[in-house]
Amino acid sequence: LHPLLPQLRGGGALTQGALAVIYETEAFLCELLGFEAFTSQPLAGAHGELAGIMMIAAYHRDRGDVRKVMLIADSGHGTNPASAALAGFETRSIPTDGRGDVDIRALKAALGPDTAGMMLTCPSTLGLYDPKTREICEAVRSAGGLMYGDGANLNALVGRIRPGDLGFDAMHVNLHKTFATPH
């Protein structure tokens, strides 16, 4: 919609159809991905990623919980460290094992009271689905952190499993890649 389209005094009739489509799409995505809420406000994948990481920061801040470290799998999407840094986090890389999956021992050794969460691209930029994804999410959450799912490669999971059911707390979706032609 054009940002100057009138919203009040009769102008709302010009926007209701588009608003209905946005609302219904957000509800559809909640069901498809296993989340309670969805917003279409971010305008790109990296923008959505930053919004999600800022929500994780706000979650901890609202609880009075000072957590400053965001863990990032070394097989993650390249924007992850930048988004975490922009949101005020110190980043720590978690290595992959010989199969290209997150090294679960290294992850557990990195968890501590300063861990705000972990960013995990699922499937990874290596094109692999980590079979330990639920275990990873549980470990981070048991340390008081939240899980951020980078949805850059979500098209490989749609209809097979819902990220929310895996244990992700927030994620972005690149609608143009997941539901159209990947670039």
Side-chain angles (χ1 to χ4, degrees):
L1 296 175
H2 191 280
L4 298 179
L5 196 59
Q7 301 292 315
L8 304 172
R9 297 196 174 104
L14 300 174
T15 62
Q16 290 306 301
L19 292 174
V21 169
I22 293 168
Y23 176 82
E24 290 168 10
T25 300
E26 289 177 355
F28 166 71
L29 289 167
C30 282
E31 178 61 31
L32 186 66
L33 303 174
F35 291 109
E36 292 182 25
F38 194 93
T39 178
S40 57
Q41 288 299 309
L43 301 176
H47 189 209
E49 181 177 289
L50 179 58
I53 293 302
M54 290 175 74
M55 284 188 259
I56 290 174
Y59 168 83
H60 290 300
R61 191 172 45 254
D62 287 350
R63 297 168 49 91
D65 196 1
V66 180
R67 291 176 177 258
K68 61 182 187 273
V69 175
M70 185 61 65
L71 305 175
I72 301 172
D74 69 1
S75 60
H77 204 249
T79 57
N80 292 174
S83 294
L86 281 170
F89 291 109
E90 171 190 329
T91 62
R92 291 191 192 147
S93 182
I94 303 300
T96 49
D97 60 20
R99 291 181 31 93
D101 298 329
V102 170
D103 182 326
I104 200 77
R105 285 190 290 175
L107 168 63
K108 289 180 179 179
L111 293 171
D114 60 348
T115 303
M118 180 174 186
M119 299 178 80
L120 185 66
T121 304
C122 186
S124 72
T125 56
L126 303 174
L128 303 172
Y129 173 77
D130 192 326
K132 298 182 301 285
T133 299
R134 279 192 176 102
E135 182 181 357
I136 293 164
C137 292
E138 288 170 9
V140 171
R141 292 172 114 202
S142 70
L146 296 177
M147 283 299 299
Y148 183 84
D150 185 316
N153 303 327
L154 183 66
N155 51 339
L157 299 183
V158 172
R160 295 180 179 271
I161 194 158
R162 299 178 341 156
D165 296 341
L166 290 171
F168 288 103
D169 298 292
M171 77 179 307
H172 77 273
V173 178
N174 293 349
L175 296 177
H176 65 287
K177 291 194 317 188
T178 303
F179 300 104
T181 304
H183 63 68

